[in-house]
């Protein structure tokens, strides 16, 4: 029964991706000094017609295991860029500075067509490359450092911003940090939301900020 449930959900997820029936929710990003809205992070959600809202912790692992994470990730990039373009059109400004952050999975980052896909999404939606932030986990980079360096270099040539997601929980190798052309260190939430060791967490966060 569990196997059949997984197979059914996988087929339904495939149809949802192909039918463009997923949706993005946008988490605002603020400048904490002045309170200015800087941009958004795109978060994918699946509103199933029978199961209701299915959260990412249920369908993202399934997408990773089945390989659907690649077309799913491509859908997210395209939809996020399209939304940014829509906001531009509604505001009457070609570029009013808001950025869009999108998460890349390990499998998506490993795709040889990733750079071309990103370039096409930016071009088709007339989005300036620095307005797109690609968030990549340390684990995705560390799997093949040589290939990752080349991939990140090509992404930087496009002009997009690159962020290390969940920084501080993985390998956090200083040599790799120096080697990779990253723009942003996104500190893992465990360091800023935990209450067990606030003093120690504050010291770690301060060190990461200084290092960045």
């Amino acid at each position: 029964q569990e196997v059949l449930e997984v197979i059914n959900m996988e087929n339904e997820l495939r149809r949802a991706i192909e039918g463009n029936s997923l949706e993005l929710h946008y988490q605002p990003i603020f400048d904490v000094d002045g309170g200015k809205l800087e941009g958004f992070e795109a978060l994918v959600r699946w509103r199933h017609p029978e199961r209701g809202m299915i959260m990412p912790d249920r369908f993202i692992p399934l997408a990773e295991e089945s390989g659907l994470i690649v077309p799913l990730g491509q859908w997210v990039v395209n939809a996020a860029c399209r939304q940014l373009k829509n906001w531009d059109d509604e505001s009457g400004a070609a570029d009013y500075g808001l950025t869009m952050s999108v998460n890349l999975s390990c499998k998506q980052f490993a795709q040889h067509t990733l750079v071309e896909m990103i370039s096409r999404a930016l071009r088709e939606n007339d989005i300036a490359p620095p307005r797109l932030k690609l968030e990549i986990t340390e684990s995705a980079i560390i799997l093949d450092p040589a290939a990752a360096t080349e991939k990140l270099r090509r992404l930087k040539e496009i002009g997009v911003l690159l962020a290390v997601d969940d920084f501080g929980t993985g390998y956090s190798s200083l040599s790799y940090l120096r080697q990779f052309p990253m723009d942003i260190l996104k500190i893992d939430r465990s360091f800023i939301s935990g209450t067990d060791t606030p003093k120690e967490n504050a010291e770690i966060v301060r060190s990461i900020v200084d290092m960045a």
Side-chain angles (χ1 to χ4, degrees):
Q1 186 173 0
E2 290 177 359
V3 171
L4 287 175
E5 174 70 13
V6 170
I7 293 174
N8 288 335
M9 184 169 284
E10 179 182 330
N11 290 331
E12 290 171 349
L13 179 57
R14 179 177 286 105
R15 287 194 293 269
I17 298 171
E18 294 172 352
N20 203 33
S21 60
L22 297 171
E23 59 187 58
L24 290 182
H25 290 192
Y26 298 95
Q27 178 171 289
I29 299 172
F30 289 95
D31 175 356
V32 294
D33 280 338
K36 179 186 175 183
L37 179 66
E38 297 284 343
F40 296 89
E41 179 176 354
L43 305 171
V44 66
R45 297 290 184 267
W46 181 12
R47 194 181 301 275
H48 194 280
E50 298 172 357
R51 306 172 190 261
M53 183 67 78
I54 303 178
M55 301 303 286
D57 59 353
R58 285 194 63 194
F59 69 86
I60 291 297
L62 174 63
E64 288 274 8
E65 294 171 7
S66 64
L68 288 174
I69 195 68
V70 174
L72 172 60
Q74 183 172 343
W75 181 89
V76 169
V77 170
N78 289 330
C81 289
R82 189 163 55 247
Q83 180 62 72
L84 201 55
K85 173 62 174 174
N86 289 342
W87 284 331
D88 283 349
D89 293 341
E90 290 171 2
S91 72
D95 179 355
Y96 64 113
L98 291 182
T99 61
M100 183 69 74
S101 299
V102 175
N103 293 278
L104 296 183
S105 72
C106 291
K107 288 186 177 180
Q108 188 179 9
F109 182 69
Q111 293 295 304
H112 69 278
T113 57
L114 174 66
V115 178
E116 288 72 19
M117 185 271 289
I118 297 294
S119 297
R120 184 169 58 253
L122 292 169
R123 184 173 61 253
E124 291 178 351
N125 293 283
D126 194 23
I127 299 297
R131 299 179 64 195
L132 180 63
K133 299 179 184 178
L134 301 178
E135 299 187 4
I136 308 160
T137 62
E138 291 177 82
S139 57
I141 298 173
I142 212 73
L143 286 174
D144 189 343
T149 300
E150 175 62 18
K151 183 75 64 67
L152 293 171
R153 183 190 62 79
R154 292 180 61 199
L155 288 170
K156 286 302 298 179
E157 288 177 350
I158 296 175
V160 298
L161 298 181
L162 301 175
V164 180
D165 200 7
D166 300 332
F167 185 82
T169 60
Y171 299 91
S172 301
S173 168
L174 298 184
S175 62
Y176 286 134
L177 189 61
R178 178 177 57 84
Q179 175 182 338
F180 297 138
M182 310 307 293
D183 301 291
I184 300 161
L185 299 183
K186 193 172 180 184
I187 301 172
D188 187 79
R189 65 185 304 164
S190 63
F191 292 113
I192 58 174
S193 62
T195 57
D196 294 337
T197 55
K199 182 177 180 180
E200 289 83 352
N201 284 351
E203 290 296 332
I204 292 174
V205 170
R206 189 174 296 111
S207 298
I208 293 175
V209 171
D210 289 342
M211 181 171 57

